[in-house]
Amino acid sequence: MAPSVSQKRATFRALHQSGCFVIPNPWDAGSASLLAGLGFKALATTSSGYAWSCARADGQLSRAETLTHMRYMVEATDLPINADFESGFADTPEGVAESVGMAVETGVAGISIEDSTGDSRTPLRGVAESVERMRAARAAIDAAGGDVLLIGRAENFFVGRPDIDDAILRLKAYADAGADCVYAPGIRTREHISAVVAAVAPTPVNVLIGWESDLTLQDLANLGVRRVSVGGTLARAAWSGFLSAARLLAEQGRFDGFSGLPSSAELNTLLSGQAKP
């Protein structure tokens, strides 16, 4: 029997209590199914990965489109889903609360809210404003039962403001405002990761690894990280294979880009649930 939404949320919350787990980012039912078959315990949506599959750039999808995708992903897997909900699709705390209330209704187990503006001239919201938005998200979750995790994101390193002290200040403020887990995507060094973990303890910390890194999951666990996501990296890996083979075909009329691929029979077996990847 498939787990209920409340059971998925309870499972997701328990994962944050101890240890370190990977929460990879699928963008459709097929990628979610394969990741579940590999034994991952939870999944997260990727705004970029889904946008690319819709022939859009990251950030170009509407709230309605994003909510529809979140519901689709929840229904596609028995695993808990953490939602990449960008900046909450609203300019005001009241709007964030409205959006988060809608997101809770999709059945997701976690909701990430960013503090970026989308404006390259002033890419980060002020701390006070960001805290009010986080409090509004917390209140909306609590009003809906309180079993969805709220993840607060400090986007400093993603928007060209790589100030670790400011990022830590923000993450601490978001935890104080009700975030259950915090996240500064783009930090890469052991020193920065350790500093974030120590500063916000005991709040769980998510670390993004979206590039080739010498850090292993065990290394991150030793640093005190609770969960590790990969953002749109798996989607980029898929696009890499597609583009490489397609360019050889279009530019040189060559078919050797098709070497090393899984067979149709293998994919049919994997995606029909008859075998694990």
Side-chain angles (χ1 to χ4, degrees), residues 4 19 34 40 54 68 91 93 100 106 125 127 175 183 195 215 220 247 250 253 256:
S4 66
L34 288 180
F40 292 104
C54 298
T68 296
D91 294 326
V100 169
T106 67
R125 300 181 188 276
V127 175
Y183 179 18
L215 291 169
L220 292 165
R247 283 172 174 159
D256 47 320

Side-chain angles (χ1 to χ4, degrees), residues 114-130:
E114 305 170 5
D115 56 9
S116 58
T117 65
D119 183 345
S120 60
R121 296 168 298 180
T122 54
L124 289 171
R125 300 181 188 276
V127 175
E129 178 189 5
S130 298

Side-chain angles (χ1 to χ4, degrees), residues 199-216:
V200 303
T203 302
V205 171
N206 183 102
V207 166
L208 172 75
I209 303 292
W211 43 83
E212 187 174 353
S213 175
D214 64 345
L215 291 169
T216 66

Side-chain angles (χ1 to χ4, degrees), residues 235-251:
R236 289 192 291 115
W239 280 107
S240 175
F242 178 94
L243 283 170
S244 177
R247 283 172 174 159
L248 279 174
L249 186 60
E251 297 168 5

Side-chain angles (χ1 to χ4, degrees), residues 124-147:
L124 289 171
R125 300 181 188 276
V127 175
E129 178 189 5
S130 298
V131 166
E132 287 305 308
R133 293 163 65 84
M134 198 63 57
R135 287 176 176 157
R138 176 79 268 161
I141 289 173
D142 290 345
D147 58 349

Side-chain angles (χ1 to χ4, degrees), residues 240-242 244-246 248 254-263:
S240 175
F242 178 94
S244 177
L248 279 174
R254 291 167 50 190
F255 300 92
D256 47 320
F258 298 159
S259 63
L261 304 182
S263 68

Side-chain angles (χ1 to χ4, degrees), residues 66-165:
T66 300
L67 289 168
T68 296
H69 177 62
M70 288 161 57
R71 185 172 290 105
Y72 163 81
M73 293 300 288
V74 167
E75 295 173 352
T77 179
D78 288 342
L79 297 182
I81 293 287
N82 188 101
D84 178 350
F85 206 47
E86 303 184 43
S87 298
F89 297 92
D91 294 326
T92 65
E94 295 78 13
V96 170
E98 178 185 61
S99 293
V100 169
M102 294 177 177
V104 171
E105 292 176 357
T106 67
V108 294
I111 298 171
S112 298
I113 298 291
E114 305 170 5
D115 56 9
S116 58
T117 65
D119 183 345
S120 60
R121 296 168 298 180
T122 54
L124 289 171
R125 300 181 188 276
V127 175
E129 178 189 5
S130 298
V131 166
E132 287 305 308
R133 293 163 65 84
M134 198 63 57
R135 287 176 176 157
R138 176 79 268 161
I141 289 173
D142 290 345
D147 58 349
V148 175
L149 264 67
L150 175 61
I151 295 83
R153 291 179 45 152
E155 300 295 295
N156 300 68
F157 285 75
F158 257 20
V159 299
R161 299 291 188 272
D163 183 335
I164 188 62
D165 293 330

